[in-house]
């Protein structure tokens, strides 16, 4: 009797043979998990994977993928969060199970919109690429067999016949390299990225791919499968959302800020204190401009304002020494004397930089966090002006900043519709005199970075294609400049249950 | 595929710019009758869908999808305006049409030898270009990504044309002495060939040739499965020319 591998897996699950169920540390997530798990495990698995994907995204921003530093840091994170790293054979079952289940849970949360799907797909692909490339050649072959992607290697005779073409058409492959490496004959559909960029020899509808580029093919395949799966999942969403136990968690997961956290400052020390006044007018989002103004005027800020503004300044590159000097100079002008500053306020600034107490390096607040938590009271200047200011006062402030009346009207409309981040985007457009902000705003430091980029001429304008002959389709070839556009559901009605979950995301 | 003809989308443009999409017919005879009745100004052909296009409103959202379509290319003479001096925009003549011929040959070779295509129809668009309809079974099922990749594969980035420094001055000195562009071209080519024969890499002549003659494609025409293209063998509304 011949048993198929699928039968063996099912049977293994029932018989409790855990190794059969996850024969590889890597998988394509083709079959959803069928066991029962507790809600606690459901939640913790999901959160851990989200943390992992955030790290994947951040590392991708800060380091070139594939470099040693990138790989070491990602491996550390995988181990910390107890996901599979390196293709360990034995005690990996728990990690593989967690990997499997958490992926499927996040699919539920991230299938809901185009932005969310795109973000999820991007991070999962980066994660997969890393894990695949960490496999040994032998394990790669075994994995490819397992997922029925055994690409056909061409024989020596054919390779010799094509040696010249292979060498001239494959970048980085001289004749000797062609001779020593395996080449695979695959259909064009399997090698789209390589074919499009002319990185492989093609003939008669087939591409001849060197072993070195196999990961591109595998990733291609993975992307196609995951993309389809996400679209399918989105269609079955209504039934999932009706489950009261899951709905709050899933919606919180996709609400949380998942963009770069600006804790790795590439520009540390590049800003001088003298520049801050001018920068606050040109490149600060309205919330930070307001905080800076209040600080200058009253020589003081309360705790909420110190946190929001202080972390923002850290994010734009202020060193600890600069921060201490900045706050001290200002506070001394007020009612605070030098001694009191050093004893009290200095401590908390050092705390923000991770030099005291828990030594956690705090991350600057995202728009989501500023809008949804810790609303300001009388005498506070933190929060989001579009969310927390009285519309009349907001209008006056914008007028004093010489925003044109038509622009102010547009902003107020957006505020009325509770689109606070869009209102801020409009503020960006009006103060920078551009038609289209060119990115999706999710973080004050992102506002600053983009503003600086624009003012220093380092950004191309977004072009809209409109093929006049094509009445039948809306060709939307807009390419997002910030390809890591962070997806958030723009439902700004605060859910107080979010507080507990937010705690997972403030510190890294 | 059963009902292949019935699932094919046609679109008609009527005289007063009324545009009818998602037309489909039970048989070629029915199409013929409808054509005679309506007498459209312009006829376009679209994809083969999952359901009869003329019933697409009865199908719930998301289920009505294009299943297959020929891979099409559109080469438009106006894309060559920067390298032709005899005509511009919608005008064509036998001189600049040569550029079109070259483009067709380049693409055709690539289709057959590189992409393994067998069945293709090249047809005059009726006004200022040509269309190519690739009909192989497998290719009809290609995804938009694969179609876009094919166009990118067939496209060449424009490179700035500057001959290497040591050639520029003597060429500039001699150019005005030559009677016409043909002689100037011979001069440039001669210089380049001699340099190559002497072992120096020097390709300004090839760069000029590529710049002028390499096919210029519109990716949007080829990419989408739902895209509609003017039907071969139909009359072009603006010129009265027939696409063959």
């Amino acid at each position: 009797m011949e048993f198929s591998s699928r039968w063996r897996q099912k049977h293994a699950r029932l018989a409790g043979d855990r190794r059969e169920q996850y024969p590889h540390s890597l998988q394509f997530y083709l079959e959803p998990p069928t066991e029962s798990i507790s809600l606690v495990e459901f939640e913790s698995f999901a959160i851990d994977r989200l943390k992992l994907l955030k790290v994947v995204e951040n590392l991708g921003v800060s380091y070139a993928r594939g470099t040693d530093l990138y790989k070491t840091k990602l491996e550390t994170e995988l181990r910390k969060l107890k996901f599979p790293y390196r293709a360990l054979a034995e005690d990996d079952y728990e990690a593989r199970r967690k990997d499997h289940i958490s992926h499927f849970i996040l699919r539920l949360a991230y299938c809901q919109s185009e932005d969310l799907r795109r973000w999820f797909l991007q991070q999962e692909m980066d994660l997969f690429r890393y894990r695949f490339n960490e496999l040994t050649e032998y394990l790669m072959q075994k994995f490819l067999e397992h997922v029925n992607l055994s690409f056909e290697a061409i024989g020596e005779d054919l390779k010799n016949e094509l040696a010249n073409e292979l060498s001239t058409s494959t970048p980085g492959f001289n004749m000797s390299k062609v001779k020593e490496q395996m080449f695979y004959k695959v259909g064009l559909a399997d090698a789209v990225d390589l074919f499009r960029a002319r990185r492989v020899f093609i003939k008669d509808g087939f591409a001849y791919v060197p072993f070195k580029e196999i990961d591109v093919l595998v990733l291609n395949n993975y992307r196609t499968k995951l993309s389809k799966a996400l679209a399918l999942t989105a269609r079955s969403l209504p039934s999932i959302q009706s489950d009261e136990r899951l709905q709050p968690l899933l919606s919180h997961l996709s609400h949380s800020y998942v963009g770069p956290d600006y804790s790795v400052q590439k520009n540390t020390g590049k800003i001088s204190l003298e520049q801050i006044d001018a920068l606050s007018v040109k490149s600060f989002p309205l919330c930070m401009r307001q905080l800076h103004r209040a600080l200058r005027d009253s020589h003081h800020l309360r705790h909420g304002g110190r946190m929001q503004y202080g972390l923002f300044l850290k994010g734009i590159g202020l060193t600890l020494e600069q921060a201490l000097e900045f706050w001290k100079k200002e506070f001394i002008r007020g009612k605070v004397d030098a001694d009191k500053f050093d004893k009290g306020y200095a401590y908390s600034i050092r705390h923000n930089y991770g030099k005291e107490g828990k030594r956690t390096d705090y991350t600057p607040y995202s728009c989501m966090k500023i809008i949804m938590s810790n609303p300001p009271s009388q005498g506070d200047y933190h929060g989001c002006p579009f969310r927390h200011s009285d519309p009349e006062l907001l209008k006056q402030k914008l007028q004093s900043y010489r925003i044109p009346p038509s622009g102010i009207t547009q902003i107020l409309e957006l505020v009325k519709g509770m689109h606070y981040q869009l209102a801020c985007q409009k503020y960006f457009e009006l103060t920078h005199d551009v038609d289209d902000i060119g990115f999706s705003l999710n973080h004050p430091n992102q506002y600053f970075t983009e503003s600086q980029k624009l003012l220093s001429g380092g950004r191309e304008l977004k072009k809209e294609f409109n093929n006049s002959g094509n009445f039948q389709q809306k060709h939307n070839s807009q390419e997002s400049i910030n390809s890591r556009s962070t997806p958030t559901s723009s439902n700004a009605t605060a859910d107080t249950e979010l507080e507990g979950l937010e705690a997972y995301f403030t510190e890294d | 595929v059963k009902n292949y003809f019935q699932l094919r989308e046609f679109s008609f443009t009527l005289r007063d710019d009324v545009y009818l999409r998602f037309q489909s017919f039970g048989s070629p005879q029915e199409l013929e009758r409808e054509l005679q009745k309506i007498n459209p100004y312009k006829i376009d052909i679209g994809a083969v869908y999952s359901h009869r296009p003329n019933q697409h409103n009865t199908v719930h959202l998301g289920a009505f999808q294009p299943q297959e379509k020929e891979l099409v290319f559109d080469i438009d003479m106006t894309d060559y305006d920067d390298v032709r001096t005899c005509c511009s925009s919608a005008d064509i003549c036998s001189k600049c049409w040569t550029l079109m011929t070259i483009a067709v040959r380049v693409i055709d070779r690539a289709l057959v030898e590189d992409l393994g295509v067998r069945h293709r129809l090249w047809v005059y668009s009726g006004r200022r270009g040509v269309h190519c309809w690739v009909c192989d079974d497998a290719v009809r099922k290609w995804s938009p990504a694969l179609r876009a990749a094919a166009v990118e594969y067939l496209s060449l980035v424009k490179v700035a044309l500057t001959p290497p420094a040591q050639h520029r001055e003597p060429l500039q000195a001699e150019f005005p002495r030559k009677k016409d562009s043909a002689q100037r071209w011979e001069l440039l080519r001669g210089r380049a060939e001699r340099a190559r024969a002497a072992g120096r890499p020097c390709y300004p002549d090839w760069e000029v040739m590529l710049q002028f003659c390499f096919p210029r494609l519109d990716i949007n025409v080829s990419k989408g499965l739902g895209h509609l293209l003017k039907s071969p063998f139909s009359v072009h509304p603006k010129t009265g020319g027939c696409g063959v």
Side-chain angles (χ1 to χ4, degrees):
Chain A
M1 218 168 14
E2 282 255 307
F3 291 115
S4 74
S5 106
R6 185 93 30 101
W7 185 94
R8 225 181 292 125
Q9 275 184 33
K10 271 217 175 83
H11 186 73
R13 242 197 307 268
L14 297 168
D17 182 350
R18 314 183 327 163
R19 288 218 339 249
E20 273 288 340
Q21 198 183 349
Y22 298 117
H24 294 276
S25 68
L26 198 54
Q27 59 164 300
F28 269 172
Y29 311 102
L30 298 174
E31 301 269 317
T34 50
E35 53 179 288
S36 319
I37 64 174
S38 67
L39 283 176
V40 170
E41 203 171 35
F42 185 93
E43 180 169 341
S44 82
F45 276 9
I47 287 170
D48 280 353
R49 194 180 194 90
L50 186 54
K51 280 189 184 169
L52 175 65
L53 294 186
K54 273 181 62 185
V55 166
V56 167
E57 179 182 30
N58 278 323
L59 290 178
V61 173
S62 318
Y63 308 101
R65 292 178 189 84
T67 56
D68 286 334
L69 203 50
Y70 176 90
K71 292 198 280 195
T72 325
K73 286 185 179 271
L74 187 44
E75 180 178 314
T76 311
E77 195 66 26
L78 285 164
R79 293 173 78 147
K80 189 168 93 177
L81 293 167
K82 300 199 172 43
F83 283 107
Y85 67 96
R86 304 269 186 87
L88 302 177
E90 305 296 326
D91 305 317
D92 220 15
Y93 172 78
E94 289 300 336
R96 294 178 193 185
R97 174 179 169 265
K98 179 171 178 171
D99 181 46
H100 182 210
I101 294 174
S102 62
H103 171 94
F104 274 91
I105 298 174
L106 285 194
R107 270 200 208 178
L108 296 176
Y110 281 86
C111 67
Q112 300 176 53
S113 78
E114 187 59 47
D115 275 347
L116 291 173
R117 286 196 289 268
R118 200 182 321 132
W119 183 87
F120 182 69
L121 194 59
Q122 180 64 51
Q123 311 322 321
E124 285 284 341
M125 280 190 34
D126 281 350
L127 178 62
F128 187 94
R129 184 189 294 113
Y130 163 78
R131 292 166 67 190
F132 182 78
N133 283 319
E134 286 295 294
L135 296 175
T136 61
E137 202 172 305
Y138 170 73
L139 286 171
M140 273 187 197
Q141 297 283 17
K142 284 237 109 28
F143 175 71
L144 291 178
E145 278 166 30
H146 178 70
V147 293
N148 288 324
L149 273 186
S150 301
F151 300 117
E152 180 196 318
I154 61 176
E156 278 307 305
D157 290 336
L158 182 55
K159 192 150 74 126
N160 287 330
E161 206 183 296
L162 297 173
N164 214 14
E165 281 91 340
L166 292 174
S167 162
T168 50
S169 302
T170 318
F173 273 74
N174 56 20
M175 289 294 272
S176 62
K177 196 151 180 206
V178 165
K179 288 205 168 27
E180 71 185 27
Q181 189 157 131
M182 287 265 254
F183 274 77
Y184 298 82
K185 180 178 171 185
V186 304
L188 287 179
D190 288 324
V192 185
D193 294 317
L194 294 171
F195 151 51
R196 160 196 307 130
R198 280 195 228 105
R199 296 218 329 253
V200 285
F201 174 61
I202 70 170
K203 182 173 161 171
D204 216 26
F206 289 96
Y208 292 82
V209 184
F211 178 74
K212 186 167 157 288
E213 306 268 28
I214 275 283
D215 63 338
V216 179
L217 305 190
V218 181
L219 269 162
N220 214 16
N221 205 282
Y222 180 53
R223 185 204 308 124
T224 312
K225 289 183 158 75
L226 185 52
S227 187
K228 272 203 194 118
L230 283 173
L232 262 166
T233 311
R235 292 209 211 127
S236 15
L237 209 49
S239 54
I240 302 159
Q241 281 179 330
S242 60
D243 188 323
E244 291 166 354
R245 300 166 300 169
L246 300 185
Q247 196 272 331
L249 173 71
L250 292 177
S251 118
H252 292 167
L253 280 174
S254 60
H255 272 80
S256 67
Y257 173 69
V258 287
D261 60 12
Y262 298 97
S263 61
V264 177
Q265 292 110 43
K266 294 195 209 167
N267 297 314
T268 320
K270 289 217 189 123
I271 309 262
S272 78
L273 296 182
E274 292 73 42
Q275 291 175 291
I276 294 186
D277 282 326
L279 286 173
S280 76
V281 174
K282 285 191 300 185
S283 291
F284 282 13
L286 194 58
C287 54
M288 301 304 173
R289 182 175 181 176
Q290 173 173 286
L291 278 164
H292 181 74
R293 189 75 260 140
L295 177 64
R296 287 284 192 234
D297 287 344
S298 355
H299 312 299
H300 187 265
L301 277 182
R302 288 204 192 150
H303 180 257
R306 292 200 303 273
M307 287 300 282
Q308 185 176 319
Y309 189 38
L311 288 173
F312 170 76
L313 289 174
K314 185 174 81 144
I316 69 174
L318 239 60
T319 63
L320 174 58
E321 292 66 39
Q322 286 177 305
L324 288 167
E325 187 187 330
F326 174 74
W327 291 97
K328 185 168 184 175
K329 259 204 203 140
E330 201 57 50
F331 272 47
I332 283 181
R333 287 216 192 100
K335 292 188 222 145
V336 177
D337 64 39
D339 231 12
K340 185 170 176 205
F341 182 86
D342 291 332
K343 289 204 176 93
Y345 298 101
Y347 176 89
S348 86
I349 295 170
R350 281 200 302 277
H351 198 268
N352 278 356
Y353 278 73
K355 305 288 185 224
E356 299 281 359
K358 255 191 303 185
R359 314 246 165 200
T360 317
D361 204 7
Y362 286 90
T363 51
Y365 297 171
S366 65
C367 292
M368 185 64 50
K369 183 172 169 75
I370 294 172
I371 290 170
M372 307 242 273
S373 49
N374 193 19
S377 3
Q378 194 65 275
D380 282 323
Y381 294 94
H382 64 266
C384 171
F386 302 105
R387 165 80 177 88
H388 298 117
S389 286
D390 173 68
E392 198 46 48
L393 291 175
L394 177 62
K395 180 170 165 185
Q396 285 172 20
K397 176 163 290 173
L398 292 171
Q399 282 168 339
S400 76
Y401 292 160
R402 289 187 275 194
I403 309 285
S406 57
I408 297 183
T409 311
Q410 285 177 301
I411 290 180
L412 292 176
E413 270 306 303
L414 288 166
V415 164
K416 200 156 123 198
M418 301 207 299
H419 305 297
Y420 309 118
Q421 283 151 280
L422 291 179
C424 194
Q425 284 181 199
K426 179 95 314 210
Y427 172 77
F428 183 103
E429 284 166 15
L430 293 162
T431 50
H432 292 75
D433 198 22
V434 290
D435 282 327
D436 192 333
I437 194 175
F439 63 94
S440 200
L441 179 64
N442 287 291
H443 199 295
N445 287 89
Q446 178 196 20
Y447 184 110
F448 180 80
T449 312
E450 292 290 335
S451 169
Q452 288 287 288
K453 246 199 285 180
L454 185 60
L455 294 172
S456 65
R459 203 180 74 161
E460 284 147 32
L461 294 163
K462 223 161 100 153
K463 280 198 228 162
E464 280 215 31
F465 289 100
N466 210 333
N467 198 342
S468 50
N470 296 342
F471 27 56
Q472 61 274 27
Q473 274 207 6
K474 242 195 322 206
H475 283 293
N476 209 355
S477 327
Q478 281 183 45
E479 263 162 81
S480 178
I481 302 281
N482 187 0
S483 60
R484 283 176 295 283
S485 85
T486 53
T488 50
S489 322
S490 60
N491 181 0
T493 52
D495 188 347
T496 48
E497 278 185 297
L498 189 64
E499 282 298 325
L501 207 61
E502 274 296 301
Y504 284 104
F505 299 109
T506 42
E507 306 160 23
D508 267 340
Chain B
V1 175
K2 263 200 303 217
N3 302 336
Y4 201 78
F5 184 78
Q6 291 83 342
L7 298 171
R8 170 78 69 175
E9 179 191 2
F10 292 87
S11 94
F12 299 146
T13 311
L14 307 183
R15 210 158 268 290
D16 32 353
D17 266 344
V18 170
Y19 179 49
L20 300 169
R21 237 201 111 167
F22 295 116
Q23 306 297 298
S24 63
F25 307 95
S27 68
Q29 292 79 8
E30 194 185 314
L31 169 62
E32 189 179 342
R33 280 198 300 275
E34 199 65 16
L35 280 174
Q36 287 172 336
K37 190 169 90 179
I38 298 191
N39 199 10
Y41 199 53
K42 186 162 179 286
I43 307 169
D44 288 283
I45 298 181
V48 170
Y49 281 81
S50 52
H51 303 75
R52 296 191 186 210
N54 64 2
Q55 294 171 359
H56 75 284
N57 285 320
T58 66
V59 182
H60 78 83
L61 217 62
F64 178 70
Q65 297 289 340
Q67 304 292 99
E68 353 181 326
K69 195 177 76 73
E70 293 70 18
L71 171 62
V72 295
F73 296 101
D74 175 8
I75 313 177
D76 191 331
M77 208 68 232
T78 53
D79 290 334
Y80 288 81
D81 278 355
D82 62 326
V83 293
R84 54 177 185 152
T85 51
C86 49
C87 308
S88 71
S89 72
D91 304 319
I92 51 175
C93 70
S94 55
K95 281 197 233 168
C96 51
W97 192 258
T98 316
L99 292 170
M100 189 61 73
T101 315
I102 296 173
V104 168
R105 298 246 178 103
V106 169
I107 295 178
D108 202 62
R109 184 218 63 81
L111 287 176
V112 172
E113 290 177 23
D114 301 344
L115 304 192
V117 160
R118 300 281 166 261
H119 308 288
R120 63 251 183 252
L121 171 71
W122 285 97
V123 62
Y124 172 52
S125 75
R127 188 157 68 138
R128 60 188 192 211
V130 292
H131 297 158
C132 177
W133 295 74
V134 177
C135 311
D136 291 42
D137 278 339
V139 177
R140 287 206 307 266
K141 301 190 173 78
W142 277 14
S143 67
L146 198 41
R147 290 166 203 251
V151 174
E152 285 178 60
Y153 173 76
L154 293 169
S155 305
L156 212 53
V157 180
K158 266 199 200 182
V159 183
L161 280 186
T162 40
Q166 72 263 39
H167 294 283
R168 218 175 302 149
E169 269 193 39
L171 279 175
Q172 275 177 331
E174 291 201 26
F175 265 16
R177 276 198 248 144
K178 297 295 171 178
K179 196 166 57 153
D180 59 22
S181 55
Q183 289 194 347
R184 286 194 281 269
W185 169 250
E186 277 313 311
L187 179 63
L188 176 70
R189 189 146 74 139
R191 279 275 159 82
E193 278 176 357
R194 278 196 294 277
R196 289 197 289 268
R200 286 186 307 238
C202 176
Y203 300 97
D205 50 340
W206 278 101
E207 286 176 25
V208 170
M209 289 195 278
L210 285 172
Q211 178 88 323
F212 273 62
C213 308
F214 206 83
R216 302 171 182 206
L217 297 169
D218 180 354
I219 196 170
N220 293 309
V221 171
S222 312
K223 192 167 62 171
L225 265 138
H227 190 103
L228 291 151
L229 192 63
K230 181 173 163 296
S231 168
F233 314 120
S234 66
V235 174
H236 194 289
K238 293 201 177 109
T239 63
C242 187
V244 293

